[in-house]
Amino acid sequence: MENRRLHGCLGVVVGLALAVLTAMLLGRGLSACDGGVNNAANSTFLLFLFIPGLWAVLVTGWVAVGALLGSRPLPHAVALAVTLLVIAWCALSLFWSGPTYGCPSGVPPWWPPLLPTPGF
């Protein structure tokens, strides 16, 4: 029982950390490219809607992977990492601003060229 409780607490903490990091990346991208409405509206959206919503989806993904692969440690860890990163990437892609006046290509100047640009 103690192992499940630790796993649940770890899922909540990892989900919150990944949600905050994704929101920070999205906020920085919107700010660099002048995307969205304005900085106040963008930050309010990210703080009060994006982070709690993404956190709920990430924790749900954590629980679903734990229910499917609970007793096998290595596939469980790999599936958790892949699932959480795919969920965060999809959330980032949904709200990415795309081409704007500040970034005609839709990619901020600081974006590393090795990573694919968010978007579907």
Side-chain angles (χ1 to χ4, degrees):
M1 183 69 171
E2 188 66 32
N3 191 18
R4 294 185 117 191
R5 184 172 298 160
L6 177 65
H7 186 262
C9 290
L10 186 63
V12 168
V13 170
V14 168
L16 180 61
L18 191 57
V20 169
L21 288 173
T22 305
M24 289 173 60
L25 182 63
L26 181 60
R28 184 154 182 215
L30 289 173
S31 178
C33 291
D34 290 332
V37 179
N38 58 30
N39 286 337
N42 292 345
S43 62
T44 302
F45 162 73
L46 291 172
L47 188 63
F48 294 116
L49 294 175
F50 186 79
I51 291 176
L54 182 58
W55 187 26
V57 171
L58 288 170
V59 170
T60 303
W62 182 281
V63 169
V65 170
L68 293 173
L69 301 170
S71 63
R72 295 176 291 241
L74 185 61
H76 185 231
V78 171
L80 273 178
V82 169
T83 302
L84 295 182
L85 290 176
V86 165
I87 290 172
W89 190 259
C90 288
L92 187 65
S93 296
L94 283 174
F95 295 103
W96 195 258
S97 66
T100 61
Y101 180 73
C103 301
S105 65
V107 181
W110 49 264
W111 189 263
L114 295 171
L115 290 175
T117 307
F120 293 114

